[in-house]
Amino acid sequence: MKRVTGIGGIFFKSKDPKKIREWYQQHLGLEVNEYGSVFEWYQGADNSKKGFSQWSPFSEKTKYFQPSEKDFMINYRVQDLEKLVEQLKKENVTILDKIESYDYGKFVHIMDIEGNKIELWEPNDIEYEKLGQSMGSKTTK
């Protein structure tokens, strides 16, 4: 069974998320929206399929990373979230919540052995792209 297939996103705390997004846009050329930037790439196993990774600065006061005390959270792309969660339960990995489903994918949060909260995402890249387009967002390529 495949577990992680790639990085789905990098999330980090920031004193001023709007200013940091603008700085990255101006100095590093990221296409940004109100959430950060979406990197568009093509999947190695089938290079005709697009994939996406999210880069998002959060307010330094966010509680989204709790119970972790860290200033960051990594989102990993996975292939079959339900099967993976069942396997992780057997391996006594801390599962923080139930799987949530949206048009653009399924999500669950776990903790690693050092207290890092991890977000697992089984993406629906077609719907994720449609969501971005409906917001008028551009991707960083």
Side-chain angles (χ1 to χ4, degrees):
M1 170 181 68
K2 278 192 175 184
R3 293 187 184 219
V4 170
T5 61
I7 301 292
I10 305 290
F11 310 128
F12 61 96
K13 293 181 182 180
S14 168
K15 290 180 180 169
D16 189 333
K18 184 178 186 295
K19 277 188 179 177
I20 199 81
R21 287 191 306 266
E22 290 170 355
W23 188 93
Y24 275 84
Q25 182 177 33
Q26 179 182 353
H27 299 289
L28 297 180
L30 271 62
E31 292 285 349
V32 298
N33 60 38
E34 65 184 296
Y35 302 105
S37 184
V38 176
F39 290 87
E40 178 181 321
W41 43 270
Y42 287 88
Q43 299 183 29
D46 181 350
N47 62 10
S48 68
K49 290 183 181 178
K50 287 183 185 176
F52 301 93
S53 297
Q54 178 72 39
W55 173 90
S56 293
F58 280 70
S59 164
E60 66 184 344
K61 296 178 180 164
T62 187
K63 298 191 183 309
Y64 190 62
F65 301 173
Q66 290 181 350
S68 175
E69 298 291 323
K70 306 294 174 78
D71 289 338
F72 66 91
M73 183 175 68
I74 299 176
N75 167 301
Y76 292 102
R77 295 169 60 97
V78 301
Q79 196 166 47
D80 187 333
L81 191 57
E82 285 90 0
K83 281 185 184 176
L84 179 55
V85 166
E86 287 306 311
Q87 183 61 37
L88 293 174
K89 285 178 182 177
K90 291 176 188 172
E91 296 168 3
N92 297 315
V93 171
T94 301
I95 312 294
L96 296 173
D97 46 23
K98 294 181 190 240
I99 295 172
E100 291 190 33
S101 295
Y102 302 90
D103 290 342
Y104 54 91
K106 299 175 187 174
F107 297 85
V108 75
H109 297 94
I110 65 173
M111 292 289 278
D112 73 13
I113 61 171
E114 291 192 358
N116 297 302
K117 185 176 179 182
I118 297 167
E119 187 171 66
L120 301 176
W121 174 36
E122 180 183 328
N124 178 333
D125 289 309
I126 293 169
E127 292 301 319
Y128 190 77
E129 182 174 32
K130 286 180 187 176
L131 176 64
Q133 290 169 342
S134 73
M135 294 171 41
S137 296
K138 294 181 180 178
T139 56
T140 300
K141 301 177 189 177

